Amino acid sequence: MVIVIIGILAVVALPKFTDLSSDAQQAGLTSVATNLQTAASSNYAARKANSANGVTIANCSDVASALQGGALPTNGSMIYSITSAAIAADATVTCTVQDNATSPHTRTFLAQGIP
């Protein structure tokens, strides 16, 4: 009887645990997108205050250089990429970041152009 109950619990619970890796990948990507948007905003404010501060952002992919460490993070085999889109000075553009999962996930973030 105990073996039957354990078997039923395993059949019901196992699918819920196997899908957690996809949820974790999506949460990681959401965190990266949030950090990119925060870095872009902080960089814009710093460059407006003093043009010697921060980095130039003329393209969505330039935002990665505004992150602490100057590049997109990697997490084991997880690699992130940003779509390339031009950003005019003082303009705000919606950019997209994607992971390299088997079924890739995407998230958007806002970036401000600054010379």
Side-chain angles (χ1 to χ4, degrees), residues 15-92:
K16 293 181 182 186
F17 292 116
T18 57
D19 194 29
L20 292 179
S21 65
S22 179
D23 292 346
Q25 290 169 346
Q26 290 182 32
L29 184 61
T30 298
S31 177
V32 169
T34 301
N35 289 336
L36 286 165
Q37 185 164 331
T38 301
S41 296
S42 297
N43 182 69
Y44 183 83
R47 294 233 0 134
K48 278 292 189 182
N50 181 349
S51 62
N53 293 335
V55 296
T56 299
I57 295 182
N59 192 303
C60 287
S61 57
D62 294 339
V63 178
S65 61
L67 290 169
Q68 185 174 356
L72 287 170
T74 56
N75 183 11
S77 63
M78 189 59 59
I79 299 171
Y80 303 100
S81 60
I82 300 172
T83 56
S84 182
I87 308 173
D90 296 318
T92 301

Side-chain angles (χ1 to χ4, degrees), residues 3-17:
I3 294 173
V4 171
I5 292 172
I6 292 173
I8 291 171
L9 289 174
V11 168
V12 171
L14 192 58
K16 293 181 182 186
F17 292 116

Side-chain angles (χ1 to χ4, degrees), residues 77-81 98-105:
S77 63
M78 189 59 59
I79 299 171
Y80 303 100
S81 60
Q98 177 176 317
D99 63 20
N100 69 333
T102 305
S103 298
H105 308 99

